Amino acid sequence: MANAIKVERELFETKEGKKYFAYYINATVRNTEVKVQVVPPDLGGYKVLEIVYNGEKEAEFVVTPYRFEADDGHIIEGNTFKVVTTDENGQIYECPVQPARKSDKSLLDMLIRENA
């Protein structure tokens, strides 16, 4: 991607007083400020994200395109996403993420096209 995209994490509090992190890409699409929420593929992924972020506020967003031919001959293509950090020793930590909602997927697709 032409411009590095970062995933920021923000602390929020529920009505019950519990605190959690939410993960967002703050960007501009067609001159409109957008906030794209990403989530891990399962609930266990939140612990993995804690390890990846290691107390930091942001991580790199990595897009990996894929394309393959199905058994019936149809071409299937798309992208996988992950957040990545590197520690002071060069060790890489990563966790897969996905758009939280259909609207987040649409915004993310637009953002990726604009940054290609």
Side-chain angles (χ1 to χ4, degrees), residues 66-78:
Y66 64 84
R67 177 184 164 96
F68 63 91
E69 185 175 342
D71 291 340
D72 62 5
H74 286 92
I75 301 296
I76 300 170
E77 56 188 333

Side-chain angles (χ1 to χ4, degrees), residues 91-104:
Q91 179 69 39
I92 297 172
Y93 297 87
E94 60 186 51
C95 180
V97 292
Q98 61 193 27
R101 299 172 294 271
K102 287 183 180 181
S103 58
D104 292 312

Side-chain angles (χ1 to χ4, degrees), residues 3-15:
N3 298 319
I5 297 174
K6 300 291 185 180
V7 177
E8 299 175 37
R9 68 182 193 159
E10 297 177 354
L11 192 61
F12 72 94
E13 190 170 338
T14 66
K15 294 178 204 174

